[in-house]
Amino acid sequence: DLSVVARGTPGFSGADLANLVNEAALLAARLGRKGVAMEDFEFAKDKVMMGSERRSLILSEQDKKIVATHEAGHAVVASFIPDADPIHKITIVPRGMALGLTQQLPMDDKYNYSKEYLEAEIAVMLGGRTAEETLIGSVTTGAGNDFEKATEMARNMVVAWGMSEKMGPLSYRAESNPFAAFWESGARAQYSEETAREIDEEVKCIVLAAQEKAREIISAHKEQMGRVIQALLDREVL
């Protein structure tokens, strides 16, 4: 289904797509197939975008359960929150720097993003850590990249896209200075320190509200969480 491949490869150049097809064909040949199957394209897409599988990285049963819980958290929140992109794949096979991955694919090309969509996506990003807290009772270092992306998205909602009622429909982007000395930041804020504190508070409010939404969903769907976690431990890829 090439439409699914296309939805999962936004921004790929012609060379990127050629590399994807070559990787899929190589895998199909290694497996003795007479044609290239969808699973070959899925494998090739993951390899091109995230690197080769790290099968040599042996995770303990406890680590596997933590990763499975983390990824199930992303998936269940995305499945039960309106406006989020649908789930395409969940895996606990380590690739590159990631120990697991939950992949969402939009149904259509998006050129505008609503406030509701962005809030839903932040909740999905925080679903992994929230699942660890709720089901395991402990937290790990695995959510660092999720926090980085969630915070960046929330900050853009406040400073660039006017999506904060408290801060109003204003732009608070820092003014870039290409002539700044290398030891300076190269950007100068066009607002006071008090406004900077208010921006930080608004960003924090958006992220914490999204986390609370994720916690509500996970708490209400513990049975589904358990089934997804067990299926991941059994099959590694869903």
Side-chain angles (χ1 to χ4, degrees), residues 154-187:
R155 183 165 292 277
N156 278 328
M157 289 173 68
V158 175
V159 305
W161 301 327
M163 291 182 177
S164 163
E165 291 183 12
K166 181 179 179 181
M167 303 309 298
L170 300 172
S171 174
Y172 296 98
R173 283 185 183 275
E175 181 184 82
S176 180
N177 178 9
F179 302 107
F182 70 88
W183 58 82
E184 295 176 352
S185 66

Side-chain angles (χ1 to χ4, degrees), residues 1 7 17 45 48 79 89 121 141 167 187 189 196 204 230:
D1 187 345
R7 281 163 49 206
L17 292 172
K45 182 177 67 176
V48 169
S79 298
K89 176 191 289 187
E121 287 300 305
T141 58
M167 303 309 298
K204 184 177 180 180
Q230 190 56 52

Side-chain angles (χ1 to χ4, degrees), residues 4 35 57 59 78 88 108 112 119 126 132 172 175 178 232 238:
V4 174
L57 182 62
L59 296 180
H88 176 63
D108 304 295
N112 271 313
E119 289 173 340
L126 298 175
E132 293 178 26
Y172 296 98
E175 181 184 82
L232 280 170
L238 300 176

